Amino acid sequence: MKKSCDHNAKKIFLMFSAFIVACGRTHLMDVWTRWYPTYWLSGLIKAITAFVSDIGVEFKIDFPIV
């Protein structure tokens, strides 16, 4: 019998966790920009979130479902 390799599953879990944290930061930044108009920082954080999401999708595509 082969040992199960969960290395890819760990990567997906870490990328999903990073995406959730990044999304939370965008929500906090939206609240911040209500009082302090730092739109460049808000855009930067949203771009980082999009990048993390894209990398997470790439890991998901390479991960076999079955």
Side-chain angles (χ1 to χ4, degrees):
M1 265 197 195
K2 275 186 170 180
K3 264 188 162 180
S4 174
C5 181
D6 290 334
H7 186 65
N8 286 338
K10 289 178 185 178
K11 283 183 184 179
I12 290 174
F13 178 75
L14 288 175
M15 289 307 298
F16 182 71
S17 300
F19 175 69
I20 294 300
V21 169
C23 284
R25 288 185 180 173
T26 60
H27 293 303
L28 287 175
M29 195 64 210
D30 287 341
V31 172
W32 175 266
T33 55
R34 293 277 184 192
W35 288 281
Y36 305 103
T38 51
Y39 296 108
W40 64 271
L41 185 58
S42 178
L44 178 66
I45 290 174
K46 288 180 182 183
I48 291 170
T49 302
F51 179 73
V52 169
S53 173
D54 186 44
I55 297 298
V57 167
E58 294 298 323
F59 279 137
K60 179 68 176 138
I61 289 172
D62 291 339
F63 186 70
I65 301 296
V66 178

